[in-house]
Amino acid sequence: MLIKILLTIIFLCVTVAVGIYSRRQAKTVDGFVLGGRSVGPWLTAFAYGTSYFSAVVFVGYAGQFGWKYGMSASWIGIGNAVIGSLLAWIILGRRTKLMTQHIQSRTMPDFFGTRYSDEGLRVAASIIAFVFLIPYTAGVYMGISKLFEMGFGVPYEYCAMVMALLTAVYVILGGYKATAINDFIQGIIMLFGITTVIVVVLNTQGGLVEAFHKMQAIMPNADDLSQRGADLYANFQAGDFASWFGPNPLSLLGVVILTSVGTWGLPQMVGKFYSITDESAIKRGTIISTIFAFIVAGGCYFLGGFGRLFVPTAFNAEKGKFVFDNIVPTMLESLPDVLIALVILLVLSASMSTLAGLVLTSSSTMTLDLIYRDKKSQIGEVEGGEIDDMVAEKIERRKVVIMRVLIVFFIALSLMIALNPPQFIAQLMGISWGALAGAFLAPFMLGLYWKGVTRMSVWACFVWGVGLTVVNMVLGNPINPIDCGAIAMLGGFVVVAVVSLVTSKMNGDIVNKIFECYK
């Protein structure tokens, strides 16, 4: 226990110290939200990766999908690395950096409003982001409960409150730069932690080869077949849990699409490209981010794929449902105290980095796109004529103060939801990823490449992405939420393309001025 406490205290002290160190660079809006658009490739790549992979992935998804698909769940981690990181940086990185800087966009809703010359889109996007980021943030707290109770014997509520307080301190003090530096430190802990845990856990089963042979012998049990599992294991054969594509390749593909392509449309992920230094940094960041994702995401799902060797059943007879969140913690219970302390720091790092990115995105969006919205011309310059430098500085500081207040509000609100979750929150968090990416991905990505995207097509995609996922939830999820999210994202491209072809085009001169940034 002493080792666990000492390591945790050191980690938390370093986290707060980084916030204090970065406070001088957080006095202006660009400094607080984007780190002055001068964040290097290593910090940006680690910030992208640590915001991508939270405790929800390590505890929840790794256990759930590892149980359902066996060792083939590793494909989810590979998809996250190749599609969610490598291709995302290649396709979005450079164009996002150049266009958002050209039109002076600081947030994703700001991009929609300026790129499509429609302030209504800016407001609608900020509301969508607020509604679906808050339950996502609450889910980050809930993802750490089992491991903290296992490692310290401290109730989850106290751990969540401490994590919320410390995250608020360093984000409020140092803004994005503090978040990026802490993400780098936390990312190193995640890399070291996941590789060490995999080696030690598999050694308890006699090593990788022996664990693989044990997985080949496992068959689904009665509990698997009782909880909507009959379709998943309908054509199951011995050895499927150790096969290349598992018992249900199509279902697995849906998970890969949602968790990999979905990041392309999430405001807190895309925002990382706004702040990177230059194009050469993007090239280096692409490589770093991809390697990070291969190790962390690939390692999490690879470890979760062996869950059936440690847990006799994930079915809770009293609750009448599977409790997948218990699987990974159970796998780790027999580890030495030092490794349990490392796992706790791993999960704490993943949670705090994701939480910091979410609350910074939420507060900046609400401040800049709703409360203190600047009127812009069609190519991004702020309207209103010249103003005194002292007045401009005062306005900038006022915006930063409002963002800091809102960070406290968002963290407190998400903490209250996590401590007293209403029944619908679990469902809402499940669809938040699909709703956000379904609404934002297609109009954002196509808006970077295609001059022909129209305002009405963006509105139509907002309605499509949010409408499909919410209606599906209200009807009791007749479509699996994961599959529904994948449909919302991919269908968004069809919606934007079709509506753009049949609705009135934007002013050609304005669009050409926007795309001059690529020349």
Side-chain angles (χ1 to χ4, degrees):
M1 182 60 71
L2 181 61
I3 294 173
K4 298 174 192 174
I5 293 174
L6 284 175
L7 288 176
T8 304
I9 290 175
I10 292 171
F11 169 80
L12 297 178
C13 288
V14 170
T15 298
V16 174
V18 169
I20 297 172
Y21 167 77
S22 306
R23 70 188 187 282
R24 292 183 180 178
Q25 302 177 42
K27 294 181 179 179
T28 64
V29 172
D30 266 2
F32 191 80
V33 177
L34 302 174
R37 295 186 189 266
S38 60
V39 181
W42 282 91
L43 294 185
T44 303
F46 272 66
Y48 185 92
T50 53
S51 295
Y52 195 163
F53 310 115
S54 68
V56 176
V57 172
F58 184 74
V59 177
Y61 286 178
Q64 176 181 350
F65 299 133
W67 184 273
K68 289 183 176 180
Y69 307 116
M71 293 178 61
S72 66
S74 301
W75 283 110
I76 305 172
I78 295 172
N80 292 171
V82 175
I83 302 172
S85 294
L86 177 63
L87 291 182
W89 278 72
I90 291 174
I91 295 174
L92 299 180
R94 173 181 176 271
R95 284 186 168 256
T96 298
K97 166 67 178 178
L98 294 178
M99 184 176 284
T100 57
Q101 190 165 1
H102 179 59
I103 65 177
Q104 299 182 21
S105 168
R106 292 161 167 169
T107 65
M108 184 178 275
D110 189 9
F111 171 86
F112 288 125
T114 309
R115 165 65 178 85
Y116 299 108
S117 303
D118 189 338
E119 284 296 298
L121 286 175
R122 188 178 179 185
V123 173
S126 63
I127 293 173
I128 293 170
F130 169 74
V131 169
F132 289 99
L133 283 178
I134 289 297
Y136 188 9
T137 306
V140 174
Y141 292 107
M142 294 187 281
I144 67 170
S145 60
K146 296 294 181 182
L147 284 178
F148 266 100
E149 290 175 350
M150 175 196 74
F152 286 95
V154 177
Y156 150 66
E157 292 81 4
Y158 297 113
C159 299
M161 286 187 281
V162 171
M163 187 180 80
L165 176 62
L166 289 166
T167 304
V169 168
Y170 83 76
V171 177
I172 289 171
L173 285 174
Y176 181 76
K177 195 62 177 286
T179 301
I181 295 174
N182 272 320
D183 286 348
F184 181 75
I185 297 170
Q186 293 159 0
I188 292 174
I189 295 173
M190 292 169 68
L191 289 173
F192 180 71
I194 192 64
T195 51
T196 304
V197 167
I198 289 173
V199 172
V200 175
V201 168
L202 291 183
N203 279 341
T204 64
Q205 296 294 321
L208 175 61
V209 175
E210 182 62 25
F212 175 78
H213 290 319
K214 291 180 180 179
M215 288 296 297
Q216 285 182 312
I218 291 179
M219 294 286 288
N221 57 32
D223 294 336
D224 290 322
L225 302 176
S226 65
Q227 295 287 302
R228 298 185 186 179
D231 57 336
L232 181 63
Y233 304 111
N235 300 311
F236 189 92
Q237 298 179 4
D240 275 1
F241 283 128
S243 66
W244 277 97
F245 300 108
N248 194 326
L250 287 179
S251 177
L252 177 62
L253 179 62
V255 178
V256 172
I257 291 173
L258 180 67
T259 60
S260 300
V261 181
T263 59
W264 296 26
L266 298 180
Q268 76 275 17
M269 301 297 296
V270 175
K272 303 297 186 289
F273 300 132
Y274 287 42
S275 60
I276 198 166
T277 310
D278 50 41
E279 293 183 54
S280 63
I282 292 175
K283 294 178 182 178
R284 284 175 285 161
T286 302
I287 299 171
I288 298 166
S289 178
T290 303
I291 295 173
F292 182 90
F294 261 119
I295 297 173
V296 174
C300 285
Y301 289 109
F302 179 73
L303 178 66
F306 292 94
R308 288 177 181 265
L309 300 181
F310 296 83
V311 187
T313 176
F315 185 74
N316 187 309
E318 294 181 3
K319 295 184 178 181
K321 62 180 181 180
F322 286 106
V323 185
F324 295 113
D325 291 351
N326 291 339
I327 295 175
V328 171
T330 303
M331 296 172 70
L332 305 175
E333 281 180 342
S334 60
L335 295 180
D337 285 345
V338 174
L339 285 181
I340 289 180
L342 180 62
V343 171
I344 290 170
L345 290 184
L346 159 66
V347 176
L348 185 61
S349 298
S351 300
M352 290 180 68
S353 57
T354 303
L355 178 61
L358 288 168
V359 297
L360 189 58
T361 300
S362 299
S363 66
S364 59
T365 294
M366 289 292 287
T367 302
L368 302 177
D369 300 316
L370 278 180
I371 298 173
Y372 223 111
R373 191 167 74 250
D374 291 324
K375 292 183 179 180
K376 292 185 176 182
S377 66
Q378 283 99 342
I379 61 170
E381 290 86 355
V382 176
E383 292 182 341
E386 295 293 329
I387 59 175
D388 184 80
D389 288 343
M390 291 183 64
V391 175
E393 184 179 348
K394 185 176 180 180
I395 293 173
E396 286 279 291
R397 289 183 175 179
R398 189 180 301 164
K399 291 177 182 178
V400 173
V401 169
I402 293 173
M403 280 188 278
R404 284 175 165 146
V405 172
L406 284 175
I407 285 172
V408 176
F409 169 74
F410 286 124
I411 287 182
L413 179 59
S414 57
L415 179 62
M416 286 190 293
I417 294 173
L419 296 179
N420 303 284
Q423 204 167 25
F424 70 89
I425 281 296
Q427 292 177 310
L428 191 57
M429 188 218 161
I431 69 167
S432 62
W433 193 306
L436 287 167
F440 293 159
L441 172 56
F444 182 82
M445 177 178 164
L446 293 178
L448 297 174
Y449 281 88
W450 183 25
K451 295 181 180 180
V453 180
T454 66
R455 295 187 188 95
M456 288 305 301
S457 70
V458 182
W459 280 109
C461 196
F462 284 3
V463 173
W464 158 260
V466 174
L468 177 64
T469 48
V470 171
V471 168
N472 186 61
M473 182 189 72
V474 171
L475 295 178
N477 295 316
I479 306 174
N480 182 288
I482 292 174
D483 296 335
C484 184
I487 294 170
M489 287 187 297
L490 299 180
F493 287 95
V494 178
V495 170
V496 172
V498 171
V499 176
S500 292
L501 293 174
V502 298
T503 54
S504 58
K505 306 299 180 184
M506 292 181 59
N507 184 296
D509 292 337
I510 295 173
V511 175
N512 288 333
K513 286 181 180 179
I514 292 175
F515 275 78
E516 282 179 356
C517 62
Y518 298 141
K519 293 182 180 179

